[in-house]
């Protein structure tokens, strides 16, 4: 199986890459900086196009859209949340997802049962609205909506789309006080990706398999 994971240089993306490779799968992990990974800046259409060209003719069985940012964790309502922060966040968390899917659609079709896993957050749900983190919450809600609509449009092509809350994970983004390790999250997510198929496309699930309210 050939798996593409965006944002695989650290955190959940890196853990998923390591686990899949340990199982013997071929993984193309990406990062903005490149280095040991394939270079891909999901906010840059030229970078996305170049990445897709490098994979031309190769089937992609699973695309994991993991790259994302959380820039407004410490912003205040009275003085924070500048316009550029909104633009930068949506470029990574929403537009970047769409551009990645769009560019790799021929590769997913070549797999003849391709899957797309979009790493979202429980903060995307309208049922969890305690205030704050307006930019991140709005971007993840938009990504959730995007994924649901992609699921509808890609169903006739036999491409399934799942949306996943990875848990509150001990990463740079989640912090040291978070509930679970990256390995726990990655293991749970891999089980969810394996279950994804035509009958469950458009699902919004937690890392441990619980349906999450939209």
């Amino acid at each position: 199986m050939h798996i593409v994971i965006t944002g695989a240089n650290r955190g959940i993306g890196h853990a998923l890459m390591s686990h899949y490779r340990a199982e013997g799968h071929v993984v193309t992990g990406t990062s903005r900086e490149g280095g040991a990974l394939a270079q891909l800046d999901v906010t840059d259409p030229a970078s996305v196009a170049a990445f897709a060209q490098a994979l031309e003719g190769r089937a992609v069985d699973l695309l994991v859209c993991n790259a994302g940012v959380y820039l407004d964790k410490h912003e205040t309502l009275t003085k924070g949340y500048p316009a550029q922060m909104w633009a930068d966040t949506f470029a990574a968390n929403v537009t970047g997802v769409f551009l990645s899917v769009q560019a790799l659609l021929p590769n997913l079709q070549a797999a003849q049962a391709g899957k797309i896993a979009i790493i979202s957050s429980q903060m995307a749900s309208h049922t969890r609205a305690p205030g704050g983190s307006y930019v991140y919450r709005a971007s993840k809600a938009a990504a959730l909506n995007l994924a649901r609509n992609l699921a509808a449009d890609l169903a006739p092509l036999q491409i399934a789309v799942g949306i996943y809350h990875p848990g509150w994970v001990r990463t740079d983004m989640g912090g040291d006080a978070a509930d679970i390790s990256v390995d726990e999250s990655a293991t749970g997510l891999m089980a969810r990706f394996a279950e994804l198929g035509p009958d469950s496309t458009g699902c919004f699930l937690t890392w441990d398999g619980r349906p999450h309210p939209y």
Side-chain angles (χ1 to χ4, degrees):
M1 190 162 69
H2 179 208
I3 302 158
V4 172
I5 303 172
T6 66
N9 55 310
R10 61 182 180 179
I12 295 167
H14 187 271
L16 285 169
M17 180 175 66
S18 298
H19 281 250
Y20 275 124
R21 284 180 173 170
E23 290 186 354
H25 299 293
V26 177
V27 182
T28 301
T30 79
S31 76
R32 269 186 312 191
E33 294 78 20
L37 301 177
Q39 187 165 17
L40 172 62
D41 180 351
V42 298
T43 70
D44 179 1
S47 179
V48 175
F51 178 71
Q53 186 174 19
L55 291 182
E56 188 174 3
R58 291 185 64 187
V60 172
D61 299 282
L62 171 64
L63 168 62
V64 182
C65 295
N66 170 72
V69 296
Y70 185 177
L71 303 179
D72 61 321
K73 188 180 293 188
H74 304 296
E75 295 296 300
T76 63
L77 179 57
T78 53
K79 296 182 180 179
Y81 305 101
Q84 191 60 50
M85 184 177 288
W86 285 88
D88 292 343
T89 300
F90 271 71
N93 294 358
V94 186
T95 310
V97 171
F98 179 79
L99 292 178
S100 299
V101 171
Q102 184 181 49
L104 295 182
L105 189 54
N107 309 79
L108 290 159
Q109 287 182 271
Q112 299 184 350
K115 301 181 184 184
I116 300 168
I118 296 175
I119 305 302
S120 183
S121 169
Q122 64 185 2
M123 293 167 75
S125 175
H126 74 275
T127 64
R128 295 183 65 89
S133 298
Y134 301 111
V135 183
Y136 184 76
R137 291 180 191 278
S139 73
K140 286 301 185 181
L144 173 58
N145 183 277
L146 169 64
R148 292 277 288 172
N149 283 281
L150 283 171
D153 281 338
L154 296 179
L157 301 179
Q158 301 301 309
I159 297 173
V161 182
I163 310 102
Y164 302 95
H165 167 55
W168 185 20
V169 188
R170 292 189 290 275
T171 62
D172 291 343
M173 186 179 290
D176 294 337
D179 292 333
I180 61 173
S181 69
V182 289
D183 288 328
E184 288 176 284
S185 177
T187 300
L189 288 171
M190 289 168 66
R192 306 289 78 74
F193 303 164
E195 296 166 353
L196 178 63
D199 292 339
S200 58
T201 191
C203 63
F204 183 23
L205 300 175
T206 62
W207 66 281
D208 53 356
R210 290 173 289 123
H212 201 295
Y214 294 100

